[in-house]
């Protein structure tokens, strides 16, 4: 897809009216929302995008952290519930906690040096898929997931291959709407290091601020779907974040 094609596609997307649920008293609402991976770089920003506005974008946000409790103290904090549970627990015996939501935002990722190769694959594929299935079985309609630029189930690198596999698997779960976001290298979060800051200056446009990713996700989520499965690349996310 050319830059012109991306720009025209995003312009059409931005021009669509916001999603309105029958009986909403808010300008636009996603209903009850789950945020998985809410203590991560994009997950924590997602909470702000959903709630930190004069008119909240969700009627309720339940946010899960994998190892610690998420925190939020902005506007509409009364609509926020913080939870903590290891992903393997949500994928298993605590799965019923994920029932009764309208949309799920999945921001799951780890570093191989922390989890090991097998642990990384289990978290980002097996546990993520099980969590999504629990949500769908409980009535969830929409799934939004942060993947990665270059994701491919046929990829040579394990990380890209795992991201590609979870993208393909989620297509079979049965969500009414699935949106896959493929950001480039992330910056602006609490995990920036000197090496990463130097690398950002080298990669140029192949990067995106974590706040821009969350903003683009919010913009897309509040628009009617163009098709049941949407895949948005980094250039599109950067443009959407301006809206």
């Amino acid at each position: 897809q050319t830059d012109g094609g991306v720009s025209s596609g995003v312009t059409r997307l931005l021009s669509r009216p916001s999603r309105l649920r029958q009986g909403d008293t808010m300008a636009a609402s996603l209903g009850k929302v789950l945020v998985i991976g809410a203590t991560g770089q994009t997950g924590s920003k997602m909470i702000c995008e959903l709630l930190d506005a004069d008119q909240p974008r969700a009627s309720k946000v339940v946010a899960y952290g994998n190892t610690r409790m998420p925190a939020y103290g902005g506007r509409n904090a009364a609509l926020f519930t913080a939870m903590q549970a290891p992903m393997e627990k949500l994928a298993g015996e605590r799965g019923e906690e994920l029932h009764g939501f309208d949309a799920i935002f999945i921001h799951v990722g780890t570093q191989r040096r922390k989890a090991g190769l097998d642990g990384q694959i289990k978290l980002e594929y097996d546990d993520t898929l099980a969590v999504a299935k629990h949500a769908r079985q409980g009535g969830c309609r929409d799934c939004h997931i942060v993947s990665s630029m270059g994701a491919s189930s046929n990829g040579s690198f394990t990380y890209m291959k795992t991201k590609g596999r979870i993208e393909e698997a989620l297509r079979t779960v049965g969500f009414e709407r699935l949106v896959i976001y493929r950001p480039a290298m992330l910056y602006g979060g609490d995990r920036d290091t000197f090496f990463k800051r130097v690398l950002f200056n080298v990669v140029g446009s192949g990067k995106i601020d974590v706040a821009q990713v969350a903003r683009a996700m919010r913009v897309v989520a509040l628009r009617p779907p163009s098709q049941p499965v949407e895949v948005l690349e980094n250039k599109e996310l950067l443009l959407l974040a301006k809206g």
Side-chain angles (χ1 to χ4, degrees):
Q1 191 173 29
T2 64
D3 289 350
V6 169
S7 299
S8 62
V10 172
T11 300
R12 290 195 298 272
L13 181 62
L14 288 171
S15 66
R16 296 188 187 119
S18 297
R19 297 182 83 183
L20 295 174
R21 309 282 188 185
Q22 187 174 5
D24 273 349
T25 58
M26 300 179 220
S29 177
L30 296 170
K32 289 184 64 178
V33 172
L34 269 171
V35 180
I36 305 295
T39 59
Q41 296 186 95
T42 59
S44 58
K45 298 295 184 184
M46 194 70 239
I47 297 169
C48 296
E49 288 293 331
L50 292 168
L51 293 177
D52 196 11
D54 291 338
Q55 291 286 351
R57 284 76 180 235
S59 60
K60 185 175 182 61
V61 174
V62 177
Y64 280 86
N66 188 42
T67 59
R68 66 184 191 273
M69 195 78 75
Y72 173 73
R75 287 176 288 183
N76 303 299
L79 303 178
F80 173 74
T81 299
M83 302 289 287
Q84 185 275 320
M87 277 288 286
E88 62 182 7
K89 298 292 186 182
L90 290 179
E93 62 263 34
R94 293 180 62 177
E96 289 191 3
E97 295 179 25
L98 309 180
H99 291 190
F101 291 87
D102 298 296
I104 182 172
F105 290 80
I106 302 174
H107 304 257
V108 173
T110 189
Q111 298 173 338
R112 186 183 300 185
R113 64 180 177 82
K114 290 184 177 181
L117 177 59
D118 292 341
Q120 184 180 41
I121 294 173
K122 182 178 184 300
L123 177 73
E124 298 189 18
Y125 180 79
D126 299 285
D127 292 345
T128 296
L129 180 58
V131 162
K133 286 181 176 179
H134 280 304
R136 179 62 189 133
Q137 289 164 4
C140 186
R141 297 187 294 268
D142 298 353
C143 178
H144 300 260
I145 184 168
V146 178
S147 181
S148 175
M149 183 172 69
S152 171
S153 60
N154 297 317
S156 301
F157 297 100
T158 301
Y159 178 78
M160 299 302 183
K161 187 172 184 176
T162 302
K163 292 297 186 185
R165 288 179 62 217
I166 191 62
E167 287 184 8
E168 291 184 0
L170 287 175
R171 292 170 183 260
T172 69
V173 174
F175 287 105
E176 294 179 20
R177 183 186 194 190
L178 170 63
V179 187
I180 296 165
Y181 303 83
R182 291 178 174 174
M185 187 176 294
L186 298 172
Y187 74 96
D190 59 4
R191 299 176 190 169
D192 279 2
T193 63
F194 174 76
F195 172 75
K196 287 181 72 174
R197 288 193 294 271
V198 171
L199 187 58
F200 294 148
N201 292 327
V202 175
V203 298
S205 60
K207 62 182 181 179
I208 186 169
D209 192 294
V210 292
Q212 291 176 300
V213 176
R215 192 176 308 126
M217 294 178 76
R218 182 258 298 170
V219 169
V220 172
L222 288 170
R223 298 308 194 257
S226 59
Q227 51 194 350
V229 179
E230 302 166 74
V231 180
L232 299 174
E233 302 290 349
N234 195 65
K235 288 183 179 180
E236 296 168 286
L237 300 183
L238 288 168
L239 289 169
L240 284 160
K242 297 177 181 179

